[in-house]
Amino acid sequence: AQSVTQLDSQVPVFEEAPVELRCNYSSSVSVYLFWYVQYPNQGLQLLLKYLSGSTLVKGINGFEAEFNKSQTSFHLRKPSVHISDTAEYFCAVTQRGGFGNEKLTFGTGTRLTIIP
Amino acid sequence: DAGVIQSPRHEVTEMGQEVTLRCKPISGHNSLFWYRQTMMRGLELLIYFNNNVPIDDSGMPEDRFSAKMPNASFSTLKIQPSEPRDSAVYFCASSLGSPVGAFFGQGTRLTVV
């Protein structure tokens, strides 16, 4: 089984400042990692994913994340945030390969609030 | 593509009534997921279908909940009888496979009074 820990439930950041949202995972097998964003009253939208290869992955809206296997982390970053980035961000994991292993296990989410 | 389509977007019902939530996955996707989101428990997987067959229903809370996928383009989640603690946002998601990630619908906000 896998689990995901998002260490910060809320992160306030001033507009145009950088931000890092932290995510740690636990799994006895290899995993794929994802970040999703949820805007108010909306469904979840895929921001980016790590499958293999380069540990730095770039996603939509200027976000990027770095996979660190030794620290079992997959932190999300953006160098300069905008008001429109205000949303809830979810880290998720799924087991690599095998039948029936597609289900995503989500963290509890981090609410990012951008301060003008 | 229109994405994953869920209906209704909002549902208010009285305790004890039957509730049916509907989902149309993205065409060509072979996996479908039902998730529930609450403040207390976050996002929980209720059930997962692959090629219309239920693969994992370990998250279904109790016998009051049932889900079906009669064909590749339609799924339902039924709660009978509904209870106030079932109030939540229910999401349907579909996928082409694990590395791709899942695409979510807009959700159905269920309120049981």
Side-chain angles (χ1 to χ4, degrees), chain A residues 32 34 36 38 41-44 46 49 51 90 94-95 97 99-106, chain B residues 9 31 33 35 37 43 45 48 50 55-56 91 95 97-102 104-106 109:
Chain A
Y32 297 126
F34 304 82
Y36 282 82
Q38 184 179 29
N41 300 313
Q42 300 283 319
L44 279 74
L46 182 64
K49 57 190 174 189
L51 306 181
F90 292 91
T94 187
Q95 186 174 332
F99 180 72
N101 291 327
E102 297 179 63
K103 56 185 180 182
L104 287 160
T105 299
F106 285 91
Chain B
R9 288 294 310 274
S31 293
F33 310 83
Y35 283 88
Q37 185 178 37
L43 276 159
L45 178 67
Y48 149 43
N50 183 266
I55 303 300
D56 184 349
F91 287 105
S95 170
S98 176
V100 178
F104 282 73
Q106 299 277 56
R109 182 174 296 276

Side-chain angles (χ1 to χ4, degrees), chain B residues 1-109:
Chain B
D1 199 311
V4 177
I5 299 173
Q6 291 187 245
S7 63
R9 288 294 310 274
H10 301 274
E11 176 80 40
V12 180
T13 190
E14 292 185 347
M15 183 174 62
Q17 296 298 306
E18 177 180 296
V19 176
T20 299
L21 311 182
R22 296 173 176 80
C23 175
K24 176 178 168 56
I26 293 173
S27 177
H29 283 192
N30 60 354
S31 293
L32 183 139
F33 310 83
W34 282 101
Y35 283 88
R36 178 171 67 176
Q37 185 178 37
T38 61
M39 289 292 292
M40 292 298 294
R41 301 173 69 90
L43 276 159
E44 305 172 274
L45 178 67
L46 299 178
I47 188 169
Y48 149 43
F49 293 87
N50 183 266
N51 291 323
N52 313 336
V53 176
I55 303 300
D56 184 349
D57 65 355
S58 58
M60 295 287 264
E62 47 199 273
D63 292 346
R64 298 185 297 107
F65 285 68
S66 62
K68 294 183 179 179
M69 192 165 186
N71 57 62
S73 58
F74 184 65
S75 177
T76 60
L77 178 67
K78 186 177 293 186
I79 308 172
Q80 165 64 17
S82 57
E83 296 182 2
R85 60 192 169 121
D86 301 330
S87 296
V89 181
Y90 291 80
F91 287 105
C92 176
S94 70
S95 170
L96 263 177
S98 176
V100 178
F103 292 81
F104 282 73
Q106 299 277 56
T108 295
R109 182 174 296 276

Side-chain angles (χ1 to χ4, degrees), chain A residues 1-6 23-36 44 46 48-51 67 72-74 90-97 100-108, chain B residues 33 35 43 45 98-99 101-102 104:
Chain A
Q2 301 87 40
S3 66
V4 177
T5 301
Q6 291 185 245
C23 171
N24 287 86
Y25 69 94
S26 174
S27 178
S28 56
V29 298
S30 296
V31 297
Y32 297 126
L33 294 155
F34 304 82
W35 275 98
Y36 282 82
L44 279 74
L46 182 64
L48 49 77
K49 57 190 174 189
Y50 174 76
L51 306 181
F67 170 60
T72 60
S73 68
F74 190 53
F90 292 91
C91 183
V93 62
T94 187
Q95 186 174 332
R96 281 179 182 265
N101 291 327
E102 297 179 63
K103 56 185 180 182
L104 287 160
T105 299
F106 285 91
T108 50
Chain B
F33 310 83
Y35 283 88
L43 276 159
L45 178 67
S98 176
F104 282 73

Side-chain angles (χ1 to χ4, degrees), chain A residues 62-77:
Chain A
F63 283 92
E64 62 183 31
E66 185 157 20
F67 170 60
N68 187 319
K69 187 174 182 180
S70 62
Q71 297 186 7
T72 60
S73 68
F74 190 53
H75 300 334
L76 181 70
R77 302 187 184 103

